[in-house]
């Protein structure tokens, strides 16, 4: 349960950073899953993958991010940096 609380906290950190960067994120996450809207989700997902960030296109304009055991603080910081750069 402590482990899951860490995942939820990381999801909220990611959500906050995305929101501050101007990305179209949906409601603040209550779990370890958050969603972001982009014009072309499959292409954006590939762009993220090429930069070492995982996100799944779940619709033509919607991405899903999941924080989990394999996402460290350093991994989260990397994802945030990549997503901030792409928002600029």
């Amino acid at each position: 349960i402590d482990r899951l609380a860490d995942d939820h906290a990381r999801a909220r950190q990611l959500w906050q950073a995305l929101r501050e960067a101007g990305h179209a994120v949906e409601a603040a996450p209550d779990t370890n899953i958050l969603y972001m809207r982009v014009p072309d989700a499959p292409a954006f997902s590939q762009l993220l993958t090429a930069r070492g960030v995982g996100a799944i296109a779940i619709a033509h304009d919607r991405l899903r991010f999941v924080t989990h055991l394999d996402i460290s603080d350093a991994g989260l910081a990397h994802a945030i940096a990549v997503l901030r750069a792409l928002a600029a």
Side-chain angles (χ1 to χ4, degrees):
I1 298 213
D2 290 338
R3 175 73 229 131
L4 191 55
D6 292 344
D7 295 341
H8 290 188
R10 284 189 179 104
R12 187 163 285 273
Q13 283 180 270
L14 179 58
W15 174 82
Q16 184 68 33
L18 291 173
R19 196 172 73 110
E20 289 172 0
H23 287 290
V25 288
E26 296 183 7
D30 291 325
T31 66
N32 62 323
I33 300 170
L34 66 130
Y35 300 95
M36 183 174 93
R37 293 207 178 266
V38 293
D40 185 345
F44 203 84
S45 176
Q46 289 179 347
L47 187 66
L48 291 173
T49 298
R51 289 164 173 74
V53 177
I56 297 171
I58 60 168
H60 75 280
D61 66 343
R62 196 170 181 221
L63 291 172
R64 181 180 74 183
F65 294 87
V66 179
T67 56
H68 51 77
L69 178 65
D70 296 329
I71 308 297
S72 65
D73 288 336
L76 178 64
H78 173 74
I80 289 170
V82 167
L83 287 154
R84 282 182 177 153
L86 291 173

